[in-house]
Amino acid sequence: MDLFSHSWTALLAAVADLEDADFAQPSGCAGWLVRDLACHLVIDAQDVLITLVTPADTEVTHDAVTYWAVSRTPPTGDDPLDALIVRLAAAYEEPRLLKFHLDDVGSAAGRAARLADPGLRVSTQDQVLTAGDYLSAYVLEWTLHHLDLVAHLPDVAGPPTEALAGARELLARIAGAAFPASFSDRDALLVGTGRRAPTDMEKQQLGALSTELPLHLG
């Protein structure tokens, strides 16, 4: 729960510190500008709020690992929600409006997470998880998107060290194998999710795991 708050607070602060011109820069999400990514974070924050107030009275069906739908095929950008986010982001017109909305909804999501009982069973996307597992899954979401945010903005602060380590550990559990110790947490996340291709040396270090990568998470 603390790692969720830490990673989310850092991501919100990074967006809040952006210059207006930064919103028109490309992000690490293929086909999305930084403004599109920020708009996506608004939707994510809404999902957190909705899920934490949607208790379930049935048994748990998923955890932080199985929450993720894993594909070997990268997203095409044809998903209707992806297209909607691009249109919504453009509709803000002024970056300050997008900043305000993300801070407003994002702060509320952060407060809800801090107040949540980790053992509470919640429902989302036809899954039942504990609130603790649900928020743990989102540490990976926030950390990957923080890396996406700064992909072309080298002067913007990246994810906290603890978030990178926690996200790497969860991605390794999803992959079913640990990443080589020679990989930094950042490189493990970027290579593991296809945000950059491994070098020839990295492929050798990955060994059999290289055939299972990248993992596209949805």
Side-chain angles (χ1 to χ4, degrees), residues 37-58:
L37 175 58
C39 187
H40 172 73
L41 295 177
V42 173
I43 304 299
D44 270 353
Q46 291 174 342
D47 284 346
V48 170
L49 282 169
I50 292 168
T51 299
L52 292 179
V53 294
T54 308
D57 56 8
T58 55

Side-chain angles (χ1 to χ4, degrees), residues 13-52:
V15 175
D17 288 342
L18 294 178
E19 301 291 339
D20 285 2
D22 294 336
F23 284 83
Q25 296 300 311
S27 77
C29 291
W32 275 6
L33 302 176
V34 167
R35 72 180 186 188
D36 304 323
L37 175 58
C39 187
H40 172 73
L41 295 177
V42 173
I43 304 299
D44 270 353
Q46 291 174 342
D47 284 346
V48 170
L49 282 169
I50 292 168
T51 299
L52 292 179

Side-chain angles (χ1 to χ4, degrees), residues 14 23 33 42 114 153 168 191:
F23 284 83
L33 302 176
V42 173
R114 288 191 294 271
L153 299 173
R168 176 195 184 136
V191 171

Side-chain angles (χ1 to χ4, degrees), residues 65-216:
V65 173
T66 57
Y67 166 82
W68 296 99
V70 181
S71 172
R72 296 297 304 280
T73 305
T76 62
D78 296 331
D79 182 88
L81 181 57
D82 290 345
L84 175 62
I85 286 172
V86 173
R87 293 197 297 272
L88 283 174
Y92 279 94
E93 295 186 353
E94 297 181 35
R96 65 178 180 84
L97 300 176
L98 183 50
K99 279 186 178 183
F100 173 80
H101 196 186
L102 178 57
D103 179 67
D104 193 34
V105 180
S107 296
R111 289 192 296 272
R114 288 191 294 271
L115 292 170
D117 175 358
L120 175 70
R121 287 173 290 178
V122 295
S123 178
T124 182
Q125 303 179 57
D126 297 321
Q127 300 180 9
V128 176
L129 308 89
T130 64
D133 269 331
Y134 173 71
L135 295 175
S136 293
Y138 257 90
V139 172
L140 179 55
E141 174 87 354
W142 300 149
T143 305
L144 288 173
H145 282 327
H146 202 149
L147 291 173
D148 292 332
L149 180 74
V150 303
H152 301 280
L153 299 173
D155 295 331
V156 178
T161 301
E162 300 89 337
L164 287 166
R168 176 195 184 136
E169 188 275 333
L170 181 53
L171 185 63
R173 290 167 58 197
I174 295 169
F179 289 88
S182 57
F183 277 51
S184 69
D185 294 337
R186 181 190 185 99
D187 286 334
L189 293 168
L190 294 176
V191 171
T193 60
R195 282 166 165 80
R196 78 163 176 82
T199 65
D200 290 340
M201 180 174 291
E202 286 172 335
K203 287 180 181 178
Q204 293 178 7
Q205 294 167 339
L206 285 165
L209 180 57
S210 67
T211 64
E212 304 299 322
L213 302 178
L215 304 175
H216 299 287

